Amino acid sequence: MDNLTPRLSMGIERIAVLGAGQMGNGIAQVAACAGYEVVMIDIKQDYLDNGLAAIENSLSRVVKKERMIQQDADKAISLISTSTEKTSAADADLVVEAIPEIPELKFSTFGELDLICKPEAILASNTSSISINAIADATNRPDRVIGMHFMNPVPVMKLVEIINGQETSSEVTELVVEASERMGKVPLACNDSPGFISNRILCPMINEAILALEEGVAEPEAIDGIMKLGMNHPIGPLALADLIGLDTILHIMNVLHEGFEGNPKYAPSDLLKNMVSEGKLGRKSGEGFYNYS
Ligand code: 3HC
């Protein structure tokens, strides 16, 4: 089977990033900083403009910290083009999808990418919790589909969680590991399973912190302070929930709860559900466990 699979003769040179949001623009940034030619694709020019502005802002922070010279930041920006058409991914060697976590949307998008992209292209998903096998099933190239789970904020966090689907070929894993390393990241691999490793461990911890708050065990500042000062976490679990987005945490808890057949240890707390339904989503809505307005 592997002998019949088309290979990338020159390795990965061009990358398409689907989605210009928080994760997508971060991925485009680290890819361009690594010298890849990048096309960032989203459905509206406004989203692309905001994504580019976020990249410029992030790079200017890096330059200000004297971790990069302005010339290199300008070079990275010049390597990024934008498009509102998925067809712009046609000549990409690697597509990294970072669109909203809606399973049907991911499946239809991967079906389209499969038709648009060259047969040897690798289709990677930055999904935080949707099954890589299910995404791969939406294509005719399941051996060239893989999870490439970057962490938020992408320019800062070292990890890329590499998720191998049942049919992902070893050549694809090797190329994606190599590309992640070139982006300055540390790729660590796991197999497809609900929440993979990162969110299977992280989100129940955050949910537990929310339960403790709901039960009146402590105030948010105390819960976060205890985890920061006592466990050396850089940020407390409630502040981290605000950074990730409460809707995302709830979505992942639901995936874990369903994926592990209703095991009550993964049941999302009522407070989390209520805050999401009230539109308190954390930083992005201006209010979560803390106020950002
Ligand atoms: N671009 C470039 N640099 C940035 C940046 C950005 N977007 N955001 C922060 N930085 C840099 C700052 O310039 C600063 O640099 P310095 O160390 O030289 O001063 C450094 O990062 C720290 O930033 P700040 O001083 O502004 O703020 P903090 O000290 O509070 O750090 C943080 C911010 C790095 C986000 C820190 O709070 C942290 O590590 N938080 C935990 C993040 C985390 O756990 N992420 C994983 C989330 S889970 C996930 O993404 C999976 C998903 O599926 C849910």
Side-chain angles (χ1 to χ4, degrees), residues 58 61-62 65 67 128 149-153 155-157 199 202 234-235 240 243-244 248 252:
S58 172
R61 284 176 81 162
V62 181
K65 298 267 173 188
R67 295 218 181 95
S128 53
H149 185 202
F150 289 82
M151 301 291 125
N152 185 10
V156 181
M157 304 302 286
N199 282 325
L202 176 69
I235 182 174
L240 183 54
L243 177 75
I244 294 169
T248 303
I252 296 168

Side-chain angles (χ1 to χ4, degrees), residues 58-95:
S58 172
L59 285 175
S60 70
R61 284 176 81 162
V62 181
V63 170
K64 218 163 149 194
K65 298 267 173 188
E66 296 180 351
R67 295 218 181 95
M68 187 185 262
I69 54 168
Q70 187 61 46
Q71 235 176 341
D72 289 343
D74 294 343
K75 169 95 196 304
I77 295 280
S78 76
L79 285 171
I80 304 174
S81 60
T82 61
S83 169
T84 52
E85 301 296 333
K86 286 192 199 80
T87 46
S88 302
D91 63 352
D93 304 311
L94 168 67
V95 181

Side-chain angles (χ1 to χ4, degrees), residues 27-256:
I27 297 166
Q29 177 181 329
V30 294
C33 286
Y36 290 110
E37 215 178 284
V38 180
V39 58
M40 186 165 70
I41 303 170
D42 210 320
I43 49 175
K44 283 193 187 160
Q45 191 57 45
D46 268 6
Y47 299 163
L48 292 165
D49 293 344
N50 290 340
L52 270 182
I55 294 172
E56 278 165 10
N57 185 36
S58 172
L59 285 175
S60 70
R61 284 176 81 162
V62 181
V63 170
K64 218 163 149 194
K65 298 267 173 188
E66 296 180 351
R67 295 218 181 95
M68 187 185 262
I69 54 168
Q70 187 61 46
Q71 235 176 341
D72 289 343
D74 294 343
K75 169 95 196 304
I77 295 280
S78 76
L79 285 171
I80 304 174
S81 60
T82 61
S83 169
T84 52
E85 301 296 333
K86 286 192 199 80
T87 46
S88 302
D91 63 352
D93 304 311
L94 168 67
V95 181
V96 186
E97 165 276 315
I99 63 172
E101 287 285 287
I102 303 165
E104 291 314 320
L105 181 63
K106 298 260 192 215
F107 303 150
S108 61
T109 301
F110 271 76
E112 275 181 79
L113 288 172
D114 190 32
L115 298 176
I116 291 168
C117 297
K118 53 190 184 186
E120 63 273 34
I122 297 171
L123 307 183
S125 177
N126 179 57
T127 181
S128 53
S129 59
I130 297 170
S131 160
I132 296 302
N133 292 329
I135 293 174
D137 279 351
T139 74
N140 289 310
R141 60 176 91 189
D143 57 318
R144 305 196 75 71
V145 175
I146 194 164
M148 218 177 161
H149 185 202
F150 289 82
M151 301 291 125
N152 185 10
V154 178
V156 181
M157 304 302 286
K158 287 305 250 183
L159 176 69
V160 179
E161 189 176 30
I162 306 286
I163 304 112
N164 288 310
Q166 243 154 23
E167 294 189 52
T168 309
S169 79
S170 51
E171 180 234 4
V172 165
T173 308
E174 278 160 29
L175 285 168
V176 164
V177 161
E178 207 178 283
S180 307
E181 285 171 346
R182 187 166 145 190
M183 292 180 209
K185 303 297 178 194
V186 178
L188 293 171
C190 66
N191 295 323
D192 194 18
S193 172
F196 317 133
I197 290 295
S198 55
N199 282 325
R200 177 177 178 164
I201 296 173
L202 176 69
C203 290
M205 183 196 71
I206 290 175
N207 192 51
E208 200 62 39
I210 303 172
L211 273 170
L213 177 68
E214 185 182 320
E215 291 166 14
V217 181
E219 294 297 314
E221 292 77 5
I223 293 173
D224 279 349
I226 285 165
M227 297 305 287
K228 275 168 66 178
L229 301 175
M231 317 320 160
N232 239 1
H233 289 193
I235 182 174
L238 300 175
L240 183 54
D242 281 353
L243 177 75
I244 294 169
L246 272 60
D247 49 343
T248 303
I249 303 290
L250 177 59
H251 171 77
I252 296 168
M253 288 310 295
N254 284 330
V255 168
L256 291 172

